Amino acid sequence: MHNDIDHVLLHESTIMSRLDAMARDITRDYQGEMPTIVCILQGGIILMADLLRRIQLPLLIETISVASYHGGTLSSGVVSFKQNALPDLKGKHVILLDDILDTGRTLEAIRDRFVNEAGAASVKLCVLLSKKKDRPCEVVAEYVGFEIGDEFVVGYGLDYQGQYRNLPYIGVLKPEAIQRLA
Ligand code: XMP
């Protein structure tokens, strides 16, 4: 698994320090509230586990399952919800958690449904990574761990063909690994 990594972009210790700061910001911003954290499966699960344990607030946890990459390294542009029912978010302050803000289509589609259909009182976006790029939609995450270049990354929840999610760091795959698993 580690042999397939060309180079490490963000080491585990760097990610952990950044999560400390992000959790402090969220704890400060939601004082007196009980936010509902909605984790996007599967990519957000590692972030959810590490970030939520650092937040010093009462909170609720929900998950939502969507697919937008369908296994490749380029966004399909289509966001498909894997379940019809949305979590019960009426009047709730929601923090939507995902591994990465890439084109922004996934977070935009989910946020719109949370506000327009589920009746959330507010929805803020929290991502570990945000790619520096022109996006087809206007999506800005309120909480961002790191800005990275526009390259395909794996680890810490992010996969290629379903693999590498359990790497404790963010890395870039060797081209031969991408070809082998394509
Ligand atoms: P966007 O913002 O394009 O992101 O709607 C959709 C989902 O695609 C995945 N994604 C990636 N997965 N390396 C990955 O392993 C990447 O560089 C990458 N960029 C996007 C991710 O699950 C995101 O939620």
Side-chain angles (χ1 to χ4, degrees):
M1 182 169 67
H2 298 281
N3 289 341
D4 288 344
I5 300 299
D6 185 67
H7 60 277
V8 175
L9 211 58
L10 295 165
H11 289 277
E12 187 176 5
S13 56
T14 311
I15 298 172
M16 294 307 128
S17 317
R18 184 67 191 121
L19 293 191
D20 287 340
M22 291 170 79
R24 274 197 299 273
D25 289 348
I26 292 171
T27 302
R28 179 201 59 216
D29 293 350
Y30 285 86
Q31 273 307 309
E33 306 279 354
M34 183 165 65
T36 300
I37 315 291
V38 182
C39 171
I40 304 179
L41 301 175
Q42 324 276 354
I45 52 175
I46 312 280
L47 174 64
M48 173 168 77
D50 284 343
L51 181 67
L52 296 200
R53 282 178 293 174
R54 290 169 159 80
I55 296 175
Q56 302 298 313
L57 291 170
L59 51 80
L60 301 171
I61 299 175
E62 298 279 358
T63 59
I64 186 161
S65 194
V66 298
S68 51
Y69 255 68
H70 309 293
T73 60
L74 290 175
S75 174
S76 65
V78 179
V79 181
S80 46
F81 288 75
K82 293 188 184 170
Q83 71 276 292
N84 290 328
L86 295 175
D88 176 13
L89 302 175
K90 192 143 194 65
K92 301 225 170 100
H93 293 291
V94 175
I95 303 175
L96 184 54
L97 212 64
D98 202 5
D99 46 10
I100 191 164
L101 176 59
D102 193 335
T103 65
R105 287 191 180 106
T106 305
L107 287 167
E108 183 183 55
I110 299 173
R111 186 184 59 190
D112 286 355
R113 287 195 69 186
F114 281 5
V115 172
N116 300 327
E117 290 177 41
S122 68
V123 181
K124 285 190 184 177
L125 309 179
C126 175
V127 291
L128 180 70
L129 307 174
S130 174
K131 285 190 181 175
K132 268 184 237 157
K133 66 192 293 183
D134 289 331
R135 302 189 205 288
C137 46
E138 276 185 34
V139 174
V140 178
E142 283 80 2
Y143 304 102
V144 176
F146 304 92
E147 287 221 314
I148 62 167
D150 190 9
E151 61 184 339
F152 191 77
V153 292
V154 295
Y156 203 79
L158 291 147
D159 75 304
Y160 178 60
Q161 306 291 32
Q163 296 186 40
Y164 307 105
R165 290 192 198 277
N166 56 326
L167 288 175
Y169 50 79
I170 299 286
V172 175
L173 281 174
K174 290 177 182 163
E176 54 264 36
I178 294 181
Q179 278 159 20
R180 194 182 70 241
L181 297 170

